[in-house]
mmCIF file with all atom_site columns, all heavy atoms in Angstrom:
data_model
loop_
_atom_site.group_PDB
_atom_site.id
_atom_site.type_symbol
_atom_site.label_atom_id
_atom_site.label_alt_id
_atom_site.label_comp_id
_atom_site.label_asym_id
_atom_site.label_entity_id
_atom_site.label_seq_id
_atom_site.pdbx_PDB_ins_code
_atom_site.Cartn_x
_atom_site.Cartn_y
_atom_site.Cartn_z
_atom_site.occupancy
_atom_site.B_iso_or_equiv
_atom_site.pdbx_formal_charge
_atom_site.auth_seq_id
_atom_site.auth_comp_id
_atom_site.auth_asym_id
_atom_site.auth_atom_id
_atom_site.pdbx_PDB_model_num
ATOM 1  N N   . LYS M 1 72 ? 155.698 157.976 160.301 1.00 0.00 ? 839 LYS M N   1
ATOM 2  C CA  . LYS M 1 72 ? 156.354 158.599 161.460 1.00 0.00 ? 839 LYS M CA  1
ATOM 3  C C   . LYS M 1 72 ? 157.085 159.832 160.877 1.00 0.00 ? 839 LYS M C   1
ATOM 4  O O   . LYS M 1 72 ? 157.705 159.770 159.690 1.00 0.00 ? 839 LYS M O   1
ATOM 5  C CB  . LYS M 1 72 ? 157.396 157.687 162.141 1.00 0.00 ? 839 LYS M CB  1
ATOM 6  C CG  . LYS M 1 72 ? 158.082 158.276 163.332 1.00 0.00 ? 839 LYS M CG  1
ATOM 7  C CD  . LYS M 1 72 ? 156.969 158.409 164.443 1.00 0.00 ? 839 LYS M CD  1
ATOM 8  C CE  . LYS M 1 72 ? 157.490 158.979 165.796 1.00 0.00 ? 839 LYS M CE  1
ATOM 9  N NZ  . LYS M 1 72 ? 158.225 157.951 166.538 1.00 0.00 ? 839 LYS M NZ  1
ATOM 10 N N   . LEU M 1 73 ? 157.018 160.994 161.572 1.00 0.00 ? 840 LEU M N   1
ATOM 11 C CA  . LEU M 1 73 ? 157.716 162.218 161.210 1.00 0.00 ? 840 LEU M CA  1
ATOM 12 C C   . LEU M 1 73 ? 158.790 162.514 162.198 1.00 0.00 ? 840 LEU M C   1
ATOM 13 O O   . LEU M 1 73 ? 158.321 162.630 163.432 1.00 0.00 ? 840 LEU M O   1
ATOM 14 C CB  . LEU M 1 73 ? 156.676 163.256 161.066 1.00 0.00 ? 840 LEU M CB  1
ATOM 15 C CG  . LEU M 1 73 ? 157.143 164.789 160.877 1.00 0.00 ? 840 LEU M CG  1
ATOM 16 C CD1 . LEU M 1 73 ? 157.651 164.993 159.514 1.00 0.00 ? 840 LEU M CD1 1
ATOM 17 C CD2 . LEU M 1 73 ? 156.043 165.704 161.272 1.00 0.00 ? 840 LEU M CD2 1
ATOM 18 N N   . VAL M 1 74 ? 159.986 162.813 161.888 1.00 0.00 ? 841 VAL M N   1
ATOM 19 C CA  . VAL M 1 74 ? 161.093 163.170 162.824 1.00 0.00 ? 841 VAL M CA  1
ATOM 20 C C   . VAL M 1 74 ? 161.994 164.175 162.091 1.00 0.00 ? 841 VAL M C   1
ATOM 21 O O   . VAL M 1 74 ? 162.438 163.864 160.983 1.00 0.00 ? 841 VAL M O   1
ATOM 22 C CB  . VAL M 1 74 ? 161.848 162.034 163.325 1.00 0.00 ? 841 VAL M CB  1
ATOM 23 C CG1 . VAL M 1 74 ? 163.068 162.515 164.200 1.00 0.00 ? 841 VAL M CG1 1
ATOM 24 C CG2 . VAL M 1 74 ? 161.001 160.985 164.037 1.00 0.00 ? 841 VAL M CG2 1
ATOM 25 N N   . GLY M 1 75 ? 162.173 165.320 162.688 1.00 0.00 ? 842 GLY M N   1
ATOM 26 C CA  . GLY M 1 75 ? 163.141 166.324 162.070 1.00 0.00 ? 842 GLY M CA  1
ATOM 27 C C   . GLY M 1 75 ? 163.215 167.568 162.906 1.00 0.00 ? 842 GLY M C   1
ATOM 28 O O   . GLY M 1 75 ? 162.647 167.626 164.005 1.00 0.00 ? 842 GLY M O   1
ATOM 29 N N   . THR M 1 76 ? 163.947 168.542 162.344 1.00 0.00 ? 843 THR M N   1
ATOM 30 C CA  . THR M 1 76 ? 163.977 169.828 163.006 1.00 0.00 ? 843 THR M CA  1
ATOM 31 C C   . THR M 1 76 ? 163.241 170.864 162.174 1.00 0.00 ? 843 THR M C   1
ATOM 32 O O   . THR M 1 76 ? 163.156 170.929 161.018 1.00 0.00 ? 843 THR M O   1
ATOM 33 C CB  . THR M 1 76 ? 165.410 170.358 163.154 1.00 0.00 ? 843 THR M CB  1
ATOM 34 O OG1 . THR M 1 76 ? 166.105 170.174 161.795 1.00 0.00 ? 843 THR M OG1 1
ATOM 35 C CG2 . THR M 1 76 ? 166.239 169.477 164.018 1.00 0.00 ? 843 THR M CG2 1
ATOM 36 N N   . ALA M 1 77 ? 162.646 171.888 162.921 1.00 0.00 ? 844 ALA M N   1
ATOM 37 C CA  . ALA M 1 77 ? 161.739 172.783 162.333 1.00 0.00 ? 844 ALA M CA  1
ATOM 38 C C   . ALA M 1 77 ? 162.367 173.842 161.398 1.00 0.00 ? 844 ALA M C   1
ATOM 39 O O   . ALA M 1 77 ? 163.454 174.381 161.791 1.00 0.00 ? 844 ALA M O   1
ATOM 40 C CB  . ALA M 1 77 ? 160.908 173.559 163.399 1.00 0.00 ? 844 ALA M CB  1
ATOM 41 N N   . ARG M 1 78 ? 161.847 173.967 160.251 1.00 0.00 ? 845 ARG M N   1
ATOM 42 C CA  . ARG M 1 78 ? 162.157 175.064 159.354 1.00 0.00 ? 845 ARG M CA  1
ATOM 43 C C   . ARG M 1 78 ? 160.807 175.839 159.226 1.00 0.00 ? 845 ARG M C   1
ATOM 44 O O   . ARG M 1 78 ? 159.869 175.209 158.748 1.00 0.00 ? 845 ARG M O   1
ATOM 45 C CB  . ARG M 1 78 ? 162.655 174.483 157.996 1.00 0.00 ? 845 ARG M CB  1
ATOM 46 C CG  . ARG M 1 78 ? 162.961 175.535 156.952 1.00 0.00 ? 845 ARG M CG  1
ATOM 47 C CD  . ARG M 1 78 ? 164.288 176.174 157.336 1.00 0.00 ? 845 ARG M CD  1
ATOM 48 N NE  . ARG M 1 78 ? 164.630 177.324 156.497 1.00 0.00 ? 845 ARG M NE  1
ATOM 49 C CZ  . ARG M 1 78 ? 165.142 177.298 155.334 1.00 0.00 ? 845 ARG M CZ  1
ATOM 50 N NH1 . ARG M 1 78 ? 165.365 176.092 154.800 1.00 0.00 ? 845 ARG M NH1 1
ATOM 51 N NH2 . ARG M 1 78 ? 165.312 178.408 154.616 1.00 0.00 ? 845 ARG M NH2 1
ATOM 52 N N   . THR M 1 79 ? 160.748 177.013 159.651 1.00 0.00 ? 846 THR M N   1
ATOM 53 C CA  . THR M 1 79 ? 159.519 177.702 159.759 1.00 0.00 ? 846 THR M CA  1
ATOM 54 C C   . THR M 1 79 ? 159.197 178.646 158.574 1.00 0.00 ? 846 THR M C   1
ATOM 55 O O   . THR M 1 79 ? 160.011 179.089 157.741 1.00 0.00 ? 846 THR M O   1
ATOM 56 C CB  . THR M 1 79 ? 159.453 178.547 161.027 1.00 0.00 ? 846 THR M CB  1
ATOM 57 O OG1 . THR M 1 79 ? 160.497 179.554 160.930 1.00 0.00 ? 846 THR M OG1 1
ATOM 58 C CG2 . THR M 1 79 ? 159.649 177.760 162.332 1.00 0.00 ? 846 THR M CG2 1
ATOM 59 N N   . LEU M 1 80 ? 157.849 178.780 158.430 1.00 0.00 ? 847 LEU M N   1
ATOM 60 C CA  . LEU M 1 80 ? 157.348 179.645 157.333 1.00 0.00 ? 847 LEU M CA  1
ATOM 61 C C   . LEU M 1 80 ? 155.953 180.218 157.849 1.00 0.00 ? 847 LEU M C   1
ATOM 62 O O   . LEU M 1 80 ? 155.114 179.546 158.274 1.00 0.00 ? 847 LEU M O   1
ATOM 63 C CB  . LEU M 1 80 ? 157.008 178.698 156.113 1.00 0.00 ? 847 LEU M CB  1
ATOM 64 C CG  . LEU M 1 80 ? 156.342 179.319 154.914 1.00 0.00 ? 847 LEU M CG  1
ATOM 65 C CD1 . LEU M 1 80 ? 157.114 180.535 154.386 1.00 0.00 ? 847 LEU M CD1 1
ATOM 66 C CD2 . LEU M 1 80 ? 156.132 178.223 153.862 1.00 0.00 ? 847 LEU M CD2 1
ATOM 67 N N   . ARG M 1 81 ? 155.913 181.541 157.761 1.00 0.00 ? 848 ARG M N   1
ATOM 68 C CA  . ARG M 1 81 ? 154.657 182.236 158.189 1.00 0.00 ? 848 ARG M CA  1
ATOM 69 C C   . ARG M 1 81 ? 153.931 182.863 157.153 1.00 0.00 ? 848 ARG M C   1
ATOM 70 O O   . ARG M 1 81 ? 154.394 183.576 156.376 1.00 0.00 ? 848 ARG M O   1
ATOM 71 C CB  . ARG M 1 81 ? 155.117 183.331 159.303 1.00 0.00 ? 848 ARG M CB  1
ATOM 72 C CG  . ARG M 1 81 ? 153.809 183.991 159.886 1.00 0.00 ? 848 ARG M CG  1
ATOM 73 C CD  . ARG M 1 81 ? 154.131 184.648 161.196 1.00 0.00 ? 848 ARG M CD  1
ATOM 74 N NE  . ARG M 1 81 ? 154.828 185.834 161.197 1.00 0.00 ? 848 ARG M NE  1
ATOM 75 C CZ  . ARG M 1 81 ? 154.319 187.105 161.490 1.00 0.00 ? 848 ARG M CZ  1
ATOM 76 N NH1 . ARG M 1 81 ? 153.045 187.158 161.916 1.00 0.00 ? 848 ARG M NH1 1
ATOM 77 N NH2 . ARG M 1 81 ? 155.041 188.123 161.417 1.00 0.00 ? 848 ARG M NH2 1
ATOM 78 N N   . PHE M 1 82 ? 152.610 182.543 157.168 1.00 0.00 ? 849 PHE M N   1
ATOM 79 C CA  . PHE M 1 82 ? 151.659 183.229 156.233 1.00 0.00 ? 849 PHE M CA  1
ATOM 80 C C   . PHE M 1 82 ? 150.820 184.178 157.038 1.00 0.00 ? 849 PHE M C   1
ATOM 81 O O   . PHE M 1 82 ? 150.574 183.947 158.210 1.00 0.00 ? 849 PHE M O   1
ATOM 82 C CB  . PHE M 1 82 ? 150.682 182.214 155.667 1.00 0.00 ? 849 PHE M CB  1
ATOM 83 C CG  . PHE M 1 82 ? 151.270 181.293 154.679 1.00 0.00 ? 849 PHE M CG  1
ATOM 84 C CD1 . PHE M 1 82 ? 150.569 180.168 154.221 1.00 0.00 ? 849 PHE M CD1 1
ATOM 85 C CD2 . PHE M 1 82 ? 152.631 181.441 154.185 1.00 0.00 ? 849 PHE M CD2 1
ATOM 86 C CE1 . PHE M 1 82 ? 151.185 179.255 153.365 1.00 0.00 ? 849 PHE M CE1 1
ATOM 87 C CE2 . PHE M 1 82 ? 153.182 180.550 153.280 1.00 0.00 ? 849 PHE M CE2 1
ATOM 88 C CZ  . PHE M 1 82 ? 152.425 179.441 152.916 1.00 0.00 ? 849 PHE M CZ  1
ATOM 89 N N   . VAL M 1 83 ? 150.523 185.270 156.456 1.00 0.00 ? 850 VAL M N   1
ATOM 90 C CA  . VAL M 1 83 ? 149.563 186.273 157.083 1.00 0.00 ? 850 VAL M CA  1
ATOM 91 C C   . VAL M 1 83 ? 148.282 186.436 156.260 1.00 0.00 ? 850 VAL M C   1
ATOM 92 O O   . VAL M 1 83 ? 148.276 185.923 155.057 1.00 0.00 ? 850 VAL M O   1
ATOM 93 C CB  . VAL M 1 83 ? 150.223 187.700 157.334 1.00 0.00 ? 850 VAL M CB  1
ATOM 94 C CG1 . VAL M 1 83 ? 151.380 187.601 158.397 1.00 0.00 ? 850 VAL M CG1 1
ATOM 95 C CG2 . VAL M 1 83 ? 150.749 188.308 155.991 1.00 0.00 ? 850 VAL M CG2 1
#
Side-chain angles (χ1 to χ4, degrees):
Chain M
K839 189 66 180 280
L840 169 78
V841 176
T843 51
R845 182 73 188 282
T846 59
L847 174 58
R848 183 158 76 114
F849 292 168
V850 291

